[in-house]
Amino acid sequence: MRIIYARGMRLLRSTDLALRVLMRLAVVADSTPTTRQVAADMDVPYTHAAKVVAELQHLGLVDARRGRGGGLALTERGRTASVGAVVRTFEGDGDVVDCEGTQGTPACPLRSDCRLRGALRGAQEAFFAALDSVTIGDLVTGPTGPLLLGISRRPGLD
């Protein structure tokens, strides 16, 4: 049985960035930063941010406009999106363990009668369920919103 460490409790970099981009856009409703500005704010490579923004746009969570006066804006769907749904989309809903050997490893000989797979699946669903009731808008209340605004106003990022 091969354990996939990138799933579980540690999010993929793209999932983390997607959540941070959505949060960043949720607190700057009066402006439309570019993907390049958001990448600089989040201190990530532009190409990585561009891929994540393209996926968020495809999901209808972000509106991206090119050219003069363009930029990124959070859609209403993005503001009310469940964090659990965003995480599921970026992480996928595959099993935490690869019991079937689909990733180039041999299938586990215990897969037909093993209780570990079910226990891990239950834990994974509990993780997602805990995030389902939290929206992107919820994430930027309290101390987080002003902090995000401060990040977007750092010198040299304009």
Side-chain angles (χ1 to χ4, degrees):
M1 168 175 28
R2 181 170 174 251
I3 298 176
I4 303 169
Y5 294 101
R7 295 215 189 269
M9 297 304 293
R10 184 175 184 118
L11 299 179
L12 298 172
R13 286 181 57 210
S14 58
T15 307
D16 175 46
L17 182 56
L19 292 169
R20 290 190 291 144
V21 166
L22 292 169
M23 290 169 62
R24 164 72 166 75
L25 295 176
V27 296
V28 292
D30 59 335
S31 70
T32 53
T34 65
T35 301
R36 195 166 302 282
Q37 288 169 325
V38 170
D41 288 352
M42 299 298 160
D43 198 23
V44 297
Y46 168 77
T47 54
H48 189 55
K51 288 178 188 176
V52 168
V53 166
E55 180 63 18
L56 292 171
Q57 183 180 16
H58 175 74
L59 295 169
L61 305 177
V62 169
D63 182 30
R65 296 182 190 174
R66 293 179 181 224
R68 187 178 182 109
L72 304 175
L74 189 66
T75 64
E76 185 56 31
R77 182 176 179 185
R79 181 170 299 283
T80 61
S82 152
V83 173
V86 174
V87 172
R88 273 188 192 89
T89 299
F90 278 84
E91 294 287 313
D93 62 354
D95 287 330
V96 175
V97 292
D98 182 20
C99 300
E100 302 301 324
T102 58
Q103 297 178 342
T105 59
C108 177
L110 303 175
R111 71 186 176 277
S112 62
D113 292 320
C114 181
R115 298 177 78 185
L116 176 61
R117 183 180 193 179
L120 290 172
R121 180 55 124 166
Q124 181 181 28
E125 284 306 314
F127 170 71
F128 288 136
L131 298 174
D132 283 340
S133 64
V134 181
T135 67
I136 298 301
D138 294 337
L139 294 178
V140 297
T141 59
T144 306
L147 179 63
L148 283 164
L149 284 173
I151 290 171
S152 65
R153 292 182 184 145
R154 289 187 299 177
L157 293 179
D158 297 331

